């Protein structure tokens, strides 16, 4: 049974992870056994909050993970005072994922990934979390069961592509309003990259911006309610 505190920390960890665009993946080195091999990679989360990356078959990470999938993935802000910022490491099992829906979501976040697929040898990998080390600020240190970080399955996952297409085709003006209202920027172009139970992401003049819902949503109808409410707030 998950405690209320555990649930809250899990949601906090998942929402924090969704705000980052890159992290450091550390795999078990084949070249130097016993030592971790770390390198920065772009990533997105899937609908439940699991890390998804795209890696070449020639990459050191691929050779390492094919031998031993036990890895860690770390996200941290960059700045003068790292000690006061929120950051976390996810420890778990990395394995290839061949679900078209996962690939489509990743490529909406990182369209350049299509070039790598055309080259050949690239595939998507997903991290199944076992433990999460959440540092929620100076002195706020927490170990969490990886399952507590994950969102429940929802029908929004199945509807995501349709919601994204609808928002980009019919509500680009609302997306620009969201950017101005929440992030204080007025982009010439804005398109939704993805939507999940915790919020949504917009590419504004090439930069990805994260928008969080006031409360988690479980289906497209609940997401629409919060998108409409945000549109109204942006016009006040």
């Amino acid at each position: 049974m998950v405690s209320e505190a555990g649930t809250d920390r899990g949601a906090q960890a998942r929402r924090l992870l969704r705000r980052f665009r890159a992290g450091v993946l550390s795999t078990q080195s084949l070249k130097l056994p016993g030592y971790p091999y770390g390198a920065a990679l772009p990533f997105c989360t899937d609908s439940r909050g699991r890390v998804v990356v795209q890696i070449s078959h020639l990459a050191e990470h691929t050779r390492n993970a094919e031998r031993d999938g036990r890895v860690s993935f770390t996200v941290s802000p960059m700045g003068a005072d790292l000690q006061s910022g929120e950051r976390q490491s996810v420890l778990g099992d990395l394995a290839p994922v061949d679900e078209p829906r996962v690939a489509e979501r990743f490529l909406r976040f990182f369209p350049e990934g299509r070039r790598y697929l055309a080259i050949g040898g690239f595939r998507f990998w997903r991290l199944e979390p076992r433990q999460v080390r959440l540092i929620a600020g100076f002195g706020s240190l927490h170990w969490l069961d990886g399952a507590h970080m994950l969102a429940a399955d929802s029908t929004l996952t199945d509807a995501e592509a349709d919601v994204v297409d609808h928002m980009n085709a019919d509500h680009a003006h609302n997306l620009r309003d969201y950017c101005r209202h929440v992030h204080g920027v007025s982009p010439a172009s804005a398109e939704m990259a993805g939507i999940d139970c915790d919020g949504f992401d917009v590419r504004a003049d090439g930069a990805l911006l994260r928008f969080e819902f006031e409360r988690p949503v479980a289906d497209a109808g609940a997401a629409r309610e919060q998108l409409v409410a945000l549109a109204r707030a942006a016009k006040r």
Side-chain angles (χ1 to χ4, degrees):
M1 183 173 180
V2 181
S3 69
E4 183 177 352
T7 301
D8 290 346
R9 287 297 183 192
Q12 181 183 10
R14 186 179 67 249
R15 285 176 174 262
L16 173 63
L17 192 60
R18 294 197 197 275
R19 296 205 299 267
F20 286 89
R21 307 301 173 200
V24 174
L25 175 64
S26 296
T27 51
Q28 307 282 336
S29 177
L30 282 176
K31 181 177 178 61
L32 203 60
Y35 290 84
Y37 170 79
L41 290 173
F43 81 99
C44 74
T45 55
D46 70 0
S47 60
R48 298 192 64 200
R50 292 171 291 196
V51 169
V52 177
V53 294
Q54 185 184 32
I55 315 175
S56 166
H57 69 292
L58 299 175
E60 199 77 13
H61 280 316
T62 298
R63 291 192 286 267
N64 293 343
E66 286 176 341
R67 178 69 176 270
D68 189 337
R70 295 174 298 174
V71 307
S72 70
F73 193 84
T74 301
V75 293
S76 175
M78 301 302 293
D81 189 5
L82 294 180
Q83 296 295 88
S84 64
E86 293 180 290
R87 55 206 187 275
Q88 69 176 293
S89 291
V90 181
L91 288 74
D93 302 302
L94 189 70
V97 55
D98 295 317
E99 298 173 20
R101 192 164 52 195
V102 172
E104 291 166 5
R105 178 173 164 87
F106 184 94
L107 293 171
R108 286 197 302 269
F109 279 76
F110 303 103
E112 62 274 17
R114 296 187 186 279
R115 297 201 308 270
Y116 304 140
L117 293 179
I119 292 170
F122 282 81
R123 67 189 309 187
F124 298 101
W125 295 68
R126 182 165 61 192
L127 175 56
E128 196 70 40
R130 287 183 173 269
Q131 287 282 311
V132 179
R133 180 61 165 174
L134 170 65
I135 302 177
F138 189 80
S140 181
L141 315 174
H142 311 275
W143 277 109
L144 309 173
D145 188 300
H148 296 175
M149 185 187 75
L150 298 181
D153 287 320
S154 74
T155 59
L156 181 59
T157 303
D158 298 323
E160 180 183 12
D162 290 337
V163 172
V164 169
D165 288 345
H166 171 68
M167 290 299 296
N168 289 336
D170 299 334
H171 296 280
H173 60 290
N174 292 125
L175 296 175
R176 292 192 294 271
D177 288 344
Y178 298 158
C179 293
R180 184 185 65 254
H181 178 67
V182 176
H183 290 284
V185 298
S186 298
S189 67
E191 62 177 9
M192 182 177 282
I195 187 167
D196 53 69
C197 65
D198 300 307
F200 60 98
D201 297 270
V202 172
R203 180 175 289 98
D205 290 344
L208 285 166
L209 302 177
R210 178 68 181 172
F211 297 80
E212 293 193 353
F213 290 140
E214 291 185 0
R215 57 189 178 280
V217 301
D219 54 45
R224 181 182 182 279
E225 290 178 2
Q226 295 217 35
L227 290 169
V228 170
L230 182 57
R232 290 172 177 161
K235 293 185 182 300
R236 289 175 190 159

